[in-house]
């Protein structure tokens, strides 16, 4: 027996657990269930509900405790003898007494309570409670429900004050605006009047509430737990790879809970992943193919639509681009990769519907694809993490939670290369390495790192020319470990599937003859030179050099120059595969409707390259086809069979490719720009809850988003003559946009930060990329202006 | 030798302007500090340990031993926190001491902080008691001005900052971990032990928390020595202490006597139960300690003697109730207090006191239902021993002990209001004025 293990006896069963393990966990290890409410394995123990009392006849020192002890706060000790309610009358009595006390003020509204049917209190009351209450006195009552945010409602009468929610808010999310107020029998969960519980993680409190006290405005009263069918799946909202449990009824998803995934999201999910699943329920859902006739999109039959697509694509073979967006499953991405190469005979394919560069593509091919180096567990153990152009709370919330846990529990030190110390960075206790967009290269060059440093790099590094080159230099110089964490769920899968103009599946460079030859066995002979990347494709399509585009799940606003995208869509022949009528689909010549993610199977690869299964949650008989099936039909109509027609077969096809052992793509070194823009430089990133179309319909969720504000330093406020203004107008070559002004002390001078896609305030509309210069001017309060 | 009063802490309470530095010095004050500063901190700790001083706040933990638990190799600062959150019904010793002789406390703080190598000390005083807070703050100002606090105290090279903190009015903040939370600006609720305050107390640093009276006793040990201290009290309960007598006693007040004095002796010193009446029951150590009756008058008032009777020395607050008192009413008032003061953290205390209070209200009003007394005892047993901190044990102690001694009187509550059974006017001190 090693020194760090202790052996004890619980209900006569001998169990060995690591030193420091609480008795309740030791009992679980022995397969013994102890009732509990406040205990939660991922929260610090509190010992508040007292439901888990056990009898300890020997504390390991030969003496027992005269009183029953809470197993959630008592550490297991060598030689300890503990008896749970299963074997001790005293423990059983204590538990029964506590249960009775918990129920005296609890309403008997189980029949109308959301939790009824999956409620620990209900279950324990049925198992161990009295048939009839002895309590004949007056119950505590409250007005109900009390909203703690637009999204989360509190029924105080049902609350057993276990403080799981308040501890979650404080310890896990770092948003301690949900707290206890009052004392004694009047103690309750509450918020400050003007500070609602706005947290990106607020939905977790609904899930961990052991009673029906916390409910979500979205799900409340919409289903009974016993009518729901649960399916495990992987979240499509970001590249974290969170495992979810999706509950559906009558062909409709009712709610999504965090799944249990200790290696990934543990038992948490962000609110976007939890509540942002209704976007396809609007009027714009596509179920029938559309073809442009006489300038208007008209519903047609599938054969008509395929014929129209063939008519447009056939003359454009070899002059077609494929834009796949970043949200496809690995299987669908592979289908597009196959479709582009095998059917359209082109390498013009790119998954990046965002700011992108050649330098980034080269870096991804050389350093990222197929080279997973860091896992969530590594973050737990890490000594130092540096965030590079990456805001985990906004861009990968599960990574944020894991980092926060490591900071709290493991002493992790975090530094962030960013223009200011964001809310998320502050919650991570991160040291700010201040850098505006143009200074990132210098910050990377000056960064001290070693092989114990983990660099978490976001996709926004592409906004800084020379950024990825500096990163490559840093990796070579220091041996630091790297994880590239994109925002979208499908980007790693798209990389692996070869959805880049210079990259074939399995990290094979297009310009490597051996690599090409391996793929050619499956796809036939391939062009030897790289295709066009996304930027080049849009420019070429707009100018008429590229004759057709096949698109999936992209939006004009995703790009730095939406007007150019619109021109490209207008000029080229466009086949759009979509779930909803988007701006892109509306401009297409042929629109082919496809299944929602919840209707198909597949795989997401998260930032760790970890496989996350996407399972079919609803199976409605009247649905379109999967994207893979539609591509297969289109390929067949074009005369070149795709080779597969289902996601499963696509996966099998990808797996038939041998593991690539050849040379990887080489890095493209770019020198940083020396001519820095004069004036105030624009910095920006997308926030978790913004104008994303995936959030359509999730009004309660979006209402909890932080207000969209512009941030500048006190110094910049003075130099720009904004000392008295509360609003600021940013002006670029194409327009201007106004934000409330917040002076942020940690902000780099001569930089302004605004959210990229605030509702109704698209940064793309002003025509300035991140890193470009904007003109600032004082603006009146738009609300007051409207009143006057 | 336990038959006389031994005024040490209370000795100067009657002198003119006893709360001033001059008055305190005139009767030998700060001699203990001067003695302490000639010794090493460890020697001071050992002296207090050897003298056998036990905590006067209720639990009776050896004070010097508590000091010796402070890990001196811990890199964090060490803190001394004095618990002056005296709020228990019946308890009235720290507040008069702080009113009458705040410098006794300040001197004790300096010596004790020196002993544990603390350079910051706090006196946490119950928020409602504005006058003692002012007195202690004035004494601290005087001490700073006289070089007894601050940098280089009396030229010794020892520095100490002393902060007087007023609580926000919560009984639970007398529980040491709740006090530390409150002092740190957190919610006044007890927290898990371990870690114990000696290791991770205030601001997660090594902290000693002692009761006002314990700390105030320290200067006398330094001034007069451990033999003098041990000459009083019993084998295991050394020294003297302040007993507060209240209720139906001829001369209520604070009586300083050696530990081990009997209740009978103490009651005689106070002139006995008010004239014409007989003792019905009394609390030995405040409302949290199980009550005793006239049959227990010969109990020795020390830690061991009362434990043998199934009760506790507690805060040595004897509330004396004569035969006119309704034990039902008394118990109800106490339970209402605990219900009001429960912090709400744990289920048994929060929900249990809510329930007990309602049953007792029914019984007092003569609206009890048959079985209510059993239910009362049963609910009390659901609470006792199951709570997070000892507050709930204190809350049910009066219930179970009162029913044990006076069950019939509670059963009267099935039919008759307590105010009819034992008219309340009879138990007031000024009953004549309201009698018809």
């Amino acid at each position: 027996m090693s020194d760090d293990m202790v052996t004890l006896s619980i209900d006569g069963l001998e169990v060995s657990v690591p030193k420091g393990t609480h008795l309740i966990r030791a009992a679980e290890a022995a397969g013994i269930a102890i009732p509990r409410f406040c205990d939660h394995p991922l929260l610090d123990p509190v010992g508040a509900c007292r439901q888990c009392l056990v009898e300890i006849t020997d504390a390991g020192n030969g003496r027992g405790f005269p009183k029953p002890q809470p197993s959630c706060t008592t550490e297991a000790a060598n030689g300890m003898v503990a008896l749970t309610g299963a074997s001790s009358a005293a423990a059983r009595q204590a538990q029964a007494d506590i249960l009775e006390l918990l129920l005296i003020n609890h309403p008997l509204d189980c029949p109308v309570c959301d939790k009824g049917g999956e409620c620990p209190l209900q279950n324990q009351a049925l198992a161990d409670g009295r048939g009839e209450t002895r309590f004949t006195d007056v119950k505590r009552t409250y007005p109900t429900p009390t909203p703690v945010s637009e999204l989360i409602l509190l029924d105080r009468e049902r609350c057993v004050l276990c403080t799981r929610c308040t501890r979650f808010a404080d310890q896990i999310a770092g948003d301690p605006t949900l707290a206890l107020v009052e004392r004694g029998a009047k103690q309750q969960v509450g918020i400050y009047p003007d500070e609602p519980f706005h947290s990106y993680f607020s939905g977790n409190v609904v899930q961990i509430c052991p009673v029906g006290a916390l409910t979500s405005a979205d799900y409340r009263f919409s289903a009974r737990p016993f009518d729901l069918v649960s399916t495990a799946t992987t979240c499509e909202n970001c590249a974290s790879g969170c495992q979810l449990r999706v509950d559906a009824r009558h062909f409709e998803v009712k709610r999504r809970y965090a799944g249990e995934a200790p290696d990934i999201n543990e038992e948490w999910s962000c609110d976007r992943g939890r509540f942002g699943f209704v976007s396809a329920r609007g009027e714009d859902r596509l179920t029938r193919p559309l073809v442009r006739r006489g300038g208007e999109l008209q519903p047609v039959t599938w054969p008509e639509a395929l014929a129209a697509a063939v008519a447009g694509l056939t003359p454009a073979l070899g002059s077609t681009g494929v834009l796949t967006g970043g949200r496809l499953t690995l299987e669908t991405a592979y289908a597009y990769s196959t479709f582009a190469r095998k059917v359209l005979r082109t390498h013009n394919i790119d998954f990046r519907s965002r700011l992108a560069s050649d330098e980034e593509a080269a870096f991804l091919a050389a350093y990222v694809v197929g080279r997973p180096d860091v896992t969530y567990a590594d973050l737990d153990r890490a000594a130092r993490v540096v965030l590079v152009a990456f805001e985990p709370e906004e861009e990968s919330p599960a990574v944020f939670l894991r980092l926060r846990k490591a900071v709290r529990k493991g002493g992790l030190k975090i530094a962030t290369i960013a223009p200011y110390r964001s809310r998320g960075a502050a919650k991570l206790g991160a040291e700010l390495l201040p850098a505006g967009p143009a200074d990132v290269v210098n910050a990377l060059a000056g960064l001290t790192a070693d092989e114990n440093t983990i660099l978490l790099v976001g996709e926004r590094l592409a906004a800084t020319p020379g950024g990825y080159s500096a990163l490559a230099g840093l990796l070579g110089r220091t041996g630091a470990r790297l994880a590239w964490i994109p925002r979208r769920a499908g980007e790693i899968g798209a990389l692996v599937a070869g959805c880049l103009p210079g990259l074939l599946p399995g990290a094979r460079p297009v310009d490597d003859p051996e690599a090409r030859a391996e793929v050619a066995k499956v796809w036939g002979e391939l062009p030897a030179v790289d295709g066009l990347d996304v930027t080049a494709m849009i420019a070429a399509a707009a100018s008429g050099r590229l004759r057709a585009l096949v698109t999936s799940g992209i939006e004009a606003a995703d790009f730095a120059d939406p007007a150019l995208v619109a021109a490209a869509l207008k000029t080229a022949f466009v086949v759009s595969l979509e779930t909803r009528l988007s701006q892109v689909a509306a401009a297409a010549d042929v629109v082919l409707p496809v299944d929602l993610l919840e209707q198909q199977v597949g795989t997401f690869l998260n930032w760790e390259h970890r496989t996350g299964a996407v399972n079919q949650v609803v199976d409605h008989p009247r649905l379109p086809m999967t994207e893979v099936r539609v591509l297969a039909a289109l390929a067949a109509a074009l005369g070149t069979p795709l080779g597969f027609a289902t996601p499963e077969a696509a996966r099998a096809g990808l797996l038939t490719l041998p593991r690539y052992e050849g040379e990887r793509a080489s890095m493209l070194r770019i020198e940083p720009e020396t001519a820095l823009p004069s004036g105030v430089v624009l910095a920006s990133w997308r926030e978790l809850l913004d104008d994303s179309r995936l959030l359509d319909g999730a009004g309660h969720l979006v209402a909890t988003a932080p207000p969209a504000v512009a941030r500048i330093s006190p110094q910049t406020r003075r130099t720009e003559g904004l000392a008295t203004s509360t609003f600021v107008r940013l002006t670029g070559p194409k327009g201007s946009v106004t934000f409330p002004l917040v002076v942020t002390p940690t902000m780099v001078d001569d930089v302004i930060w605004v959210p990229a896609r605030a509702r109704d305030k698209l940064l793309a509309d002003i025509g300035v990329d991140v890193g470009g210069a904007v003109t600032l001017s004082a603006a009146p309060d738009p609300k007051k202006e409207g009143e006057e | 030798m336990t038959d006389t009063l031994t005024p040490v802490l209370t000795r100067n309470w009657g002198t003119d302007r006893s709360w001033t530095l001059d008055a305190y010095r005139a009767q030998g004050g700060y001699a203990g500090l001067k003695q302490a500063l000639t010794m090493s901190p460890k020697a001071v700790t050992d002296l207090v340990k050897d003298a056998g001083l036990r905590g006067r706040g209720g639990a009776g933990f050896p004070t010097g031993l508590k000091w010796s638990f402070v890990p001196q190799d811990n890199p964090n600062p060490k803190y001394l926190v004095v618990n002056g959150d005296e709020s228990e019904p019946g308890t009235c010793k720290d507040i008069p001491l702080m009113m009458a002789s705040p410098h006794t406390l300040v001197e004790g703080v300096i010596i004790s902080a020196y002993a544990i190598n603390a350079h910051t000390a706090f006196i946490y005083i119950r928020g409602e008691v504005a006058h003692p807070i002012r007195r202690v703050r004035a004494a601290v100002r005087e001490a700073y001005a006289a070089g007894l606090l601050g940098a280089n105290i009396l030229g010794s090279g020892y520095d100490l900052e002393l902060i007087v903190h007023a609580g926000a009015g919560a009984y639970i903040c007398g529980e040491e971990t709740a006090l530390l939370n409150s002092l740190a600006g957190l919610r006044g609720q007890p927290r898990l032990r371990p870690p114990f305050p000696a290791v991770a107390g205030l601001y997660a640093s090594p902290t000693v928390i002692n009761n006002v009276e314990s700390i105030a006793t320290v200067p006398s040990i330094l001034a007069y020595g451990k033999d003098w201290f041990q000459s009083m009290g019993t084998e295991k309960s050394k020294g003297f202490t302040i007993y507060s007598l209240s209720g139906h006693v001829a001369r209520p007040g604070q009586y300083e006597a050696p530990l081990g004095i009997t209740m009978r002796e103490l009651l005689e010193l106070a002139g006995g139960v008010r004239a014409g009446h007989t003792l019905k029951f009394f609390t030995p150590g405040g409302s949290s300690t199980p009550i005793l009756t006239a049959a227990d008058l010969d109990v020795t008032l020390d830690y061991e003697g009362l434990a043998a009777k199934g009760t506790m020395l507690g805060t040595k607050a004897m509330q004396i109730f004569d035969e006119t008192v309704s034990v039902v009413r008394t118990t109800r008032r106490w339970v209402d207090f605990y219900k009001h003061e429960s912090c709400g953290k744990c289920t048994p205390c929060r929900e249990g006191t809510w329930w007990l209070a309602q049953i007792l209200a029914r019984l007092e009003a003569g609206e009890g239902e048959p079985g209510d007394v059993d239910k009362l005892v049963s609910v009390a047993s659901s609470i006792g021993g199951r709570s997070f901190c000892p507050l709930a044990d204190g809350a049910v102690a009066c219930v179970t002990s009162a029913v044990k001694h006076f069950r019939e009187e509670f059963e009267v509550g099935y039919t008759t209001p307590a105010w009819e059974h034992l008219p309340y006017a009879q138990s007031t001190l000024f009953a004549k004025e309201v009698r018809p």
Side-chain angles (χ1 to χ4, degrees):
Chain A
M1 180 64 49
S2 73
D3 285 349
D4 46 9
M5 297 291 281
V6 293
T7 300
L8 67 158
S9 153
I10 305 174
D11 290 344
L13 283 172
E14 193 167 277
V15 54
S16 291
V17 292
K19 198 177 259 180
T21 303
H22 288 111
L23 206 43
I24 197 165
R25 299 276 96 75
E28 284 170 1
I32 297 165
I34 300 176
R36 84 288 302 267
F37 294 107
C38 68
D39 172 75
H40 190 286
L42 299 177
L43 301 174
D44 292 350
V46 63
C49 78
R50 320 302 284 178
Q51 187 61 57
C52 69
L53 293 173
V54 295
E55 188 181 359
I56 298 177
T57 55
D58 184 343
N61 55 9
R63 296 195 305 272
F65 282 99
K67 302 172 178 178
Q69 296 297 307
S71 54
C72 68
T73 60
T74 306
E75 282 186 13
N78 253 331
M80 182 178 265
V81 179
L83 304 172
T84 76
S87 60
S88 153
R92 199 155 51 241
Q93 183 65 47
Q95 292 173 4
D97 290 345
I98 298 294
L99 190 60
E100 180 182 32
L101 290 170
L102 279 173
L103 289 169
I104 64 169
N105 278 312
H106 194 82
L108 269 174
D109 64 348
C110 302
V112 297
C113 176
D114 277 345
K115 203 78 173 185
E118 56 176 13
C119 174
L121 182 62
Q122 189 183 39
N123 292 346
Q124 285 176 44
L126 277 169
D128 305 320
R130 290 167 175 269
E132 283 184 39
T133 181
R134 293 195 296 166
F135 184 76
T136 55
D137 295 279
V138 180
K139 284 191 186 233
R140 195 166 54 217
T141 56
Y142 291 108
T144 185
T146 302
V148 294
S149 75
E150 295 83 348
L151 189 58
I152 308 294
L153 307 178
L154 169 64
D155 287 76
R156 285 186 168 136
E157 295 177 349
R158 295 177 186 153
C159 177
V160 293
L161 292 157
C162 68
T163 70
R164 280 186 184 181
C165 57
T166 58
R167 280 179 290 148
F168 172 85
D170 181 27
Q171 296 165 12
I172 307 297
D175 299 312
T177 55
L178 192 69
L180 292 172
V181 296
E182 299 293 340
R183 72 178 187 192
K186 291 180 179 169
Q187 179 178 256
Q188 55 202 276
V189 172
I191 53 169
Y192 235 53
D194 299 327
E195 277 182 45
F197 178 47
H198 281 174
S199 168
Y200 284 167
F201 307 96
S202 66
N204 290 291
V205 303
V206 175
Q207 186 169 351
I208 60 175
C209 181
V211 295
L214 289 162
T215 54
S216 75
D218 287 351
Y219 173 72
R220 197 174 161 86
F221 300 134
S222 73
R224 306 315 312 271
F226 29 82
D227 292 332
L228 296 170
V229 177
S230 297
T231 309
T233 195
T234 304
C235 184
E236 74 284 17
N237 273 287
C238 80
S240 293
C242 291
Q243 295 301 295
L244 300 178
R245 193 192 87 200
V246 184
D247 291 344
R249 183 179 184 231
H250 290 167
F251 310 116
E252 190 172 78
V253 174
K254 291 293 178 189
R255 68 175 178 187
R256 309 211 303 184
Y257 266 23
E260 279 188 37
D263 294 337
I264 311 169
N265 50 317
E266 301 196 295
E267 297 176 28
W268 314 126
S269 85
C270 72
D271 284 359
R272 181 168 169 151
R274 186 181 295 268
F275 298 111
F277 59 83
V278 294
S279 59
R281 295 187 188 170
E283 296 286 307
D284 57 2
R285 173 78 171 106
L286 293 167
T287 53
R288 296 181 62 187
L290 307 174
V291 168
R292 189 167 300 281
R293 286 180 179 161
E296 294 291 316
L297 284 175
Q298 307 279 350
V300 295
T301 63
W302 276 99
E304 288 174 296
L306 291 175
V310 168
L313 289 177
T314 304
L317 279 182
S319 182
T320 303
V322 180
L323 299 172
T324 66
R327 299 199 175 276
L328 302 179
T329 61
L330 175 65
E331 291 78 1
T332 309
Y334 180 70
Y336 273 100
S337 193
T338 308
F339 185 78
R341 270 67 179 240
K342 188 177 177 185
V343 181
L344 299 176
R345 320 300 307 164
T346 179
H347 291 306
N348 296 342
I349 182 167
D350 202 327
F351 66 87
R352 297 172 297 171
S353 57
R354 54 174 170 79
L355 221 143
S357 69
D358 291 349
E359 186 191 5
E360 182 201 26
F363 183 87
L364 296 182
Y367 288 89
V368 175
V369 58
R371 290 181 121 178
D373 185 30
V374 179
T375 63
Y376 280 105
D378 291 334
L379 300 182
D380 274 344
R381 296 185 290 260
R384 182 160 187 258
V385 164
V386 181
L387 310 176
V388 183
F390 178 53
E391 288 292 326
E393 195 186 21
E394 307 289 355
E395 298 173 308
S396 195
V399 172
F400 171 79
L401 290 186
R402 193 59 79 100
L403 288 173
R404 202 176 129 75
K405 179 184 179 187
V407 168
R408 271 190 89 234
K409 303 273 186 185
L412 167 64
K413 296 274 183 273
I414 297 181
T416 177
I417 298 177
Y420 77 100
R421 194 166 187 253
S422 65
R423 180 184 70 165
K427 285 192 276 184
L428 293 174
E431 176 199 358
L432 178 68
L433 306 174
D439 309 323
V440 173
V441 173
N442 286 337
L444 284 170
L447 190 69
T448 46
D450 57 22
E451 59 274 15
N452 294 319
T453 306
I454 293 177
L455 304 173
L456 300 185
V457 180
E459 64 190 33
R460 290 182 284 111
L461 187 57
T464 305
Y468 278 108
S469 300
L471 179 62
L474 179 71
L475 293 172
R477 190 173 78 240
T478 63
R481 297 168 70 188
L482 166 77
W484 181 75
I485 307 186
R487 276 184 59 251
R488 292 187 173 118
E491 296 213 352
I492 298 285
L495 268 178
V496 168
C499 293
L500 273 183
L503 197 64
L504 294 167
R508 292 174 173 81
V510 163
D511 56 13
D512 184 311
E514 284 175 33
R516 220 166 44 241
E518 283 182 4
V519 183
K521 287 180 192 160
V522 187
W523 285 348
E525 209 44 49
L526 298 166
V529 291
D530 291 5
L532 304 175
D533 78 353
V534 57
T535 316
M537 274 190 263
I538 289 170
S543 69
R545 282 179 287 124
L546 196 63
R547 296 177 60 185
L549 289 172
V550 177
T551 69
S552 168
I554 61 165
E555 282 183 76
D558 286 340
F559 300 93
D561 192 346
L564 188 66
V565 176
L569 295 171
K570 196 168 180 198
T571 310
F573 176 79
V574 178
V575 178
S576 170
L577 280 72
E578 261 298 358
T579 56
R580 299 163 61 194
L581 191 64
S582 67
Q583 216 181 333
V584 171
D589 298 279
V590 177
V591 180
L592 302 175
V594 295
D595 272 352
L596 302 177
L597 194 68
E598 67 196 35
Q599 295 157 347
Q600 46 179 301
V601 297
T603 308
F604 279 129
L605 298 184
N606 76 349
W607 62 271
E608 307 165 285
H609 281 57
R610 187 194 299 269
T611 302
V614 173
N615 290 312
Q616 190 179 44
V617 179
V618 290
D619 181 14
H620 199 287
R622 287 181 55 232
L623 287 175
M625 299 181 278
T626 64
E627 218 155 340
V628 175
R629 179 77 188 82
V630 172
L631 283 175
L634 189 54
L638 283 164
T640 311
L642 197 61
F644 47 82
T646 63
E648 294 91 335
R651 181 127 201 258
L654 178 59
L655 292 175
T656 57
L657 286 172
R659 185 185 166 81
Y660 178 59
E661 307 285 357
E663 288 281 309
R664 296 182 68 93
S666 55
M667 181 61 196
L668 172 74
R669 300 280 173 162
I670 300 283
E671 289 304 312
E673 282 181 3
T674 46
L676 295 179
S678 59
V680 178
V681 174
L682 180 66
S684 180
W685 52 74
R686 290 194 62 170
E687 295 186 300
L688 186 68
L689 303 178
D690 65 1
D691 193 45
S692 168
R693 291 193 88 212
L694 280 182
L695 294 172
D696 286 355
H700 294 125
L701 169 62
V702 172
T704 67
V709 297
R711 297 179 183 279
I712 56 174
S713 73
Q715 165 79 16
T716 309
R717 188 185 200 189
R718 281 191 295 276
T719 53
E720 293 298 309
L722 298 167
T724 57
S725 42
T726 50
F727 283 78
V728 62
R729 181 182 294 123
L730 289 74
T731 306
K734 294 191 179 158
S736 63
V737 61
T738 300
F739 285 94
L741 180 61
V742 171
V743 176
T744 305
T746 58
M747 192 79 202
V748 176
D749 288 338
D750 299 323
V751 171
I752 183 163
W753 180 90
V754 292
R757 288 276 295 271
R759 295 238 146 192
D760 310 323
K761 285 178 190 172
L762 299 187
L763 198 51
D765 290 346
I766 69 170
V768 178
D769 282 354
V770 166
V774 289
T775 310
L776 304 188
S777 54
D781 185 335
K783 276 185 193 156
K784 282 183 187 161
E785 206 171 45
E787 284 163 12
E788 280 163 7
Chain B
M1 66 150 296
T2 57
D3 55 354
T4 51
L5 292 175
T6 51
V8 179
L9 299 174
T10 57
R11 184 158 63 94
N12 60 332
W13 287 14
T15 58
D16 187 35
R17 296 176 61 78
S18 61
W19 53 88
T20 60
L21 181 57
D22 289 344
Y24 184 64
R25 275 191 162 146
Q27 55 97 40
Y30 287 104
L33 173 61
K34 285 177 187 136
Q35 171 62 27
L37 292 176
T38 66
M39 302 162 64
S40 71
K42 179 159 190 317
V44 175
T45 301
D46 289 343
L47 175 68
V48 172
K49 201 195 280 184
D50 293 347
L53 172 62
R54 293 173 67 175
R56 301 296 193 232
F61 193 83
T63 303
L65 190 59
K66 197 184 240 188
W67 296 358
S68 68
F69 287 159
V70 172
Q72 291 297 339
D73 54 354
N74 188 310
N76 287 354
K78 284 83 192 164
Y79 295 111
L80 174 71
V81 176
V82 180
N83 184 348
D85 191 50
E86 185 175 72
S87 316
E88 172 131 333
T91 304
C92 189
K93 63 189 184 68
D94 299 337
I95 284 167
L97 188 149
M98 289 187 284
M99 273 294 277
S101 187
H103 280 285
T104 312
L105 176 61
V106 172
E107 183 182 3
V109 168
I110 305 167
I111 298 169
S112 308
Y114 175 74
I116 61 163
N117 290 306
H119 296 286
T120 308
F122 299 84
I123 304 176
Y124 183 104
I125 307 179
R126 177 183 177 189
E128 292 95 325
V129 293
H131 291 77
I133 293 170
R134 284 184 205 136
R135 285 265 167 96
V136 175
R137 283 190 172 148
V140 169
R141 271 197 303 276
E142 281 185 305
Y144 268 106
L148 294 162
L149 282 172
N152 193 18
I153 292 169
L154 299 180
S156 65
Y158 173 63
D159 309 331
L160 178 67
E161 298 296 330
L162 174 55
I163 293 137
V164 180
H165 180 92
Y171 172 67
I172 188 60
C173 291
E175 196 282 336
E176 62 180 13
T177 58
L179 186 152
L180 291 177
N181 273 355
S182 167
L183 191 55
L186 305 172
R187 210 170 150 70
Q189 292 192 327
R191 62 191 193 207
L192 278 178
R193 281 173 295 200
F196 288 93
V199 179
L202 188 63
Y203 309 127
S205 299
T207 304
V208 164
I209 307 168
N210 284 130
N211 174 255
V212 165
E213 186 187 347
S214 314
I215 292 292
T217 304
V218 170
S220 64
I221 297 175
L222 267 294
Y224 305 119
K226 69 172 181 183
D227 294 337
W228 164 83
F229 187 76
Q230 290 179 340
S231 71
M232 292 167 277
T234 66
E235 188 194 344
K236 287 186 174 172
S237 301
K238 302 285 185 204
F240 49 86
T241 191
I242 300 173
Y243 296 96
S244 348
L245 274 66
S246 60
H248 294 142
V249 61
R251 290 190 297 276
Q254 283 68 42
Y255 291 80
E256 194 173 6
L259 285 161
I261 191 172
T262 66
M263 183 63 194
R264 189 181 300 281
E265 289 168 312
L266 198 58
L267 200 52
E268 278 166 15
L269 285 169
V273 173
R274 65 172 173 160
H277 293 277
T278 55
L279 179 66
K280 183 173 178 182
F281 62 97
F282 66 96
T283 67
S287 60
S288 299
T289 55
I291 62 169
L292 297 175
T293 64
D296 304 308
L297 273 175
D298 289 313
V299 65
T300 56
L301 299 175
D302 56 17
Y303 301 102
E304 291 71 32
L306 286 161
K309 284 278 182 189
T311 181
M312 286 175 294
L313 182 62
T315 54
K316 303 143 294 161
M318 285 74 195
Q319 290 175 282
I320 316 290
F321 301 89
D322 68 20
E323 83 291 347
T324 64
V325 173
S326 162
V327 72
V328 178
R329 180 196 189 199
T330 311
T331 309
R332 190 222 159 166
R333 299 279 289 257
W334 279 330
V335 167
D336 276 352
F337 169 83
Y338 288 108
K339 176 193 153 198
H340 181 70
E341 294 294 345
S342 168
C343 80
K345 178 166 186 158
C346 73
T347 306
C349 182
R350 179 184 67 238
E351 308 294 338
T353 53
W354 167 276
W355 193 356
L356 286 179
Q358 294 197 45
I359 299 172
L360 280 163
R362 278 209 305 276
L363 289 171
E364 188 192 5
E367 293 165 358
E369 296 154 12
D372 266 356
V373 178
D374 287 334
K375 197 191 277 184
L376 194 64
V377 174
S378 167
V379 173
S381 74
S382 297
I383 301 167
R386 276 85 182 265
S387 57
F388 188 92
C389 82
L391 185 144
D393 292 337
V396 297
C398 59
V399 176
T400 42
S401 60
V403 173
K404 185 178 95 182
H405 293 299
F406 302 101
R407 187 180 187 96
E408 296 76 16
E409 197 178 322
F410 282 88
E411 284 169 351
V412 168
Y414 296 165
T415 53
T416 312
W419 52 81
E420 287 176 16
H421 180 62
L422 287 165
Y424 295 167
Q426 290 177 22
S427 63
T428 64
L429 274 174
F430 311 105
K432 277 184 188 135
E433 293 167 27
V434 294
R435 268 187 197 153

